[in-house]
Amino acid sequence: MTAQSPKISLTRYLVEQQRVDGRIPSDLRLLLEVVARACKSISHAVNKGALGGVLGTAGSENVQGEVQKQLDIIANDVLIEANEWGGHLAAMASEEMDSIHVVPNRYPQGEYLLLFDPLDGSSNIDVNVSIGTIFSVLRKPEGSAPAVSEQDFLQCGARQVAAGYCVYGPQTTLVLTVGDGVAMFTLDREQGSFVLTQENVRIPEDTKEFAINMSNMRHWDAPVRRYVDECLAGQEGPRGKDFNMRWVASMVADVHRILTRGGIFLYPWDKREPDKPGKLRLMYEANPMAWLVEQAGGAASTGRQRILDIEPAKLHERVSVILGSKNEVERVAAYHSR
Ligand code: AHG
Ligand code: MN
Ligand code: MN
């Protein structure tokens, strides 16, 4: 009989990343621990649902003009409160806040910037479908003014030092990259800790599964339409194989499926609001997901450009998103350049 190998907690994983490989400084380790703790507490609130009185709308709108759900606000508050006193952060930015939240004077200021979508998939909260939290960590640029400003956040996704999400589904799973591949941690509710359940996550380069909101088909641009038409044509069509389709309407859940078994996710620019570059937000939705997907061997593009290369002009900038299995993303990008 072989002895069972010990469970590796998120804490141990991060300590080893710091100690063995010097990959993350201690401040970043602390920051990630705090984000994970906040996600644990959001997970508890999500689990309580109606019993905790957390469902329904809050009766307010965010800066993007979207109706805020109670859980959007609860999750945002949890992340702010957990992160502002530790001394590792200079400021935070969130989908639910118009402008940046600078760490108050009463606390020490660190060198990191944290961005998050506190609750992704808001339309799924009340119907008990998977939702999540997405986060991205940047470093305050060297040589920037001591007083942190929105300008400090406007860095391309390639400069992220950590990124991840936590999906609140049948299991609560935290998925993380610090630039050395992707690791997944499942919340052990009895122990109250995240346990490493998969390392070196890889997305297969080919897939037979796509994810897009088909109700927008009439608004799509020609290259996206061509790609989906070819998938729908199945075995008899130019692709010579049948495709399956999934759309959870929570990006976290759709990306989690892609990291688990492959696939392609598209939320492209469309003609509904031609002046908007897309629906999803670059800095706290597209960038962290794009880095995770690239770290797992996939690709992430707007159709015309690698997402991680985009120089943001504003905090709440939107972007067209096509990500997942490499060969499929490259195919869609090729259709855009013809
Ligand atoms: P959020 O709940 O943070 O506003 O994000 C929702 C996003 C994303 O998670 C999902 O892929 C997409 O909106 C769903 O949009 P549709 O309702 O247009 O399908
Ligand atoms: Mn979102
Ligand atoms: Mn959100």
Side-chain angles (χ1 to χ4, degrees):
M1 213 167 77
T2 51
Q4 247 193 336
S5 50
K7 285 184 177 173
I8 298 178
S9 64
L10 174 67
T11 302
R12 175 169 167 186
Y13 175 87
L14 292 173
V15 166
E16 285 175 357
Q17 287 280 328
Q18 181 192 340
R19 190 199 295 149
V20 181
D21 304 327
R23 206 164 279 132
I24 51 170
S26 60
D27 267 15
L28 181 55
R29 176 168 67 80
L30 177 64
L31 192 168
L32 294 170
E33 291 256 26
V34 176
V35 169
R37 207 155 56 224
C39 289
K40 224 186 300 178
S41 136
I42 297 169
S43 173
H44 288 306
V46 168
N47 272 223
K48 285 210 172 92
L51 297 177
V54 299
L55 303 185
T57 57
S60 49
E61 280 189 358
N62 65 15
V63 66
Q64 359 247 339
E66 297 161 343
V67 174
Q68 288 176 308
K69 295 283 175 70
Q70 287 208 62
L71 259 179
D72 287 323
I73 295 175
I74 293 168
N76 193 64
D77 291 349
V78 167
L79 281 155
I80 299 275
E81 276 161 30
N83 280 288
E84 67 179 3
W85 50 267
H88 46 275
L89 277 183
M92 290 174 256
S94 158
E95 178 189 336
E96 304 303 339
M97 300 188 298
D98 302 8
S99 42
I100 63 167
H101 176 92
V102 178
V103 166
N105 282 336
R106 59 184 182 281
Y107 304 122
Q109 269 210 4
E111 58 173 318
Y112 291 104
L113 307 171
L114 174 66
L115 298 105
F116 45 83
D117 175 355
L119 219 291
D120 176 67
S122 300
S123 74
N124 283 323
I125 297 173
D126 294 351
V127 292
N128 202 356
V129 171
S130 294
I131 50 182
T133 298
I134 311 174
F135 60 92
S136 161
V137 185
L138 294 164
R139 200 174 272 128
K140 191 165 174 283
E142 265 177 47
S144 59
V148 60
S149 70
E150 187 169 312
Q151 189 60 37
D152 294 330
F153 283 78
L154 303 182
Q155 306 179 40
C156 69
R159 299 181 64 116
Q160 293 172 103
V161 294
Y165 64 80
C166 188
V167 57
Y168 314 114
Q171 304 106 45
T172 287
T173 307
L174 184 89
V175 179
L176 178 70
T177 185
V178 290
D180 179 41
V182 177
M184 293 187 177
F185 304 84
T186 306
L187 181 60
D188 180 336
R189 289 191 186 276
E190 280 126 52
Q191 301 294 327
S193 61
F194 282 103
V195 176
L196 181 66
T197 40
Q198 207 188 333
E199 249 183 315
N200 302 322
V201 173
R202 301 306 290 170
I203 300 175
E205 292 190 352
D206 292 298
T207 182
K208 289 159 78 169
E209 199 162 66
F210 68 96
I212 192 165
N213 184 338
M214 293 287 288
S215 70
N216 297 322
M217 184 180 243
R218 69 191 184 284
H219 306 294
W220 295 338
D221 213 3
V224 172
R225 200 162 182 143
R226 172 180 171 194
Y227 176 74
V228 175
D229 279 348
E230 290 181 0
C231 292
L232 295 176
Q235 193 141 28
E236 294 75 39
R239 301 299 307 277
K241 58 181 182 181
D242 292 336
F243 279 76
N244 189 18
M245 196 209 85
R246 287 285 185 276
W247 184 251
V248 183
S250 293
M251 189 196 201
V252 223
D254 280 312
V255 170
H256 193 64
R257 184 188 59 255
I258 288 171
L259 283 169
T260 306
R261 68 176 189 212
I264 179 170
F265 169 96
L266 305 98
Y267 211 123
W269 170 88
D270 67 41
K271 293 180 194 121
R272 273 176 300 171
E273 290 179 281
D275 298 338
K276 276 193 192 159
K279 174 179 178 178
L280 298 176
R281 277 59 50 120
L282 172 65
M283 302 213 57
Y284 40 80
E285 290 181 317
N287 274 343
M289 293 312 205
W291 199 30
L292 285 165
V293 164
E294 283 200 7
Q295 282 289 312
S301 163
T302 64
R304 303 183 190 281
Q305 186 185 8
R306 179 181 177 232
I307 286 177
L308 294 180
D309 287 338
I310 300 172
E311 295 288 346
K314 54 183 186 184
L315 198 55
H316 298 289
E317 184 162 324
R318 291 172 190 260
V319 67
S320 167
V321 176
I322 298 157
L323 57 76
S325 290
K326 201 164 188 239
N327 291 339
E328 294 299 304
V329 175
E330 283 173 1
R331 174 181 287 268
V332 183
Y335 290 179
H336 279 82
S337 58
R338 274 175 211 161

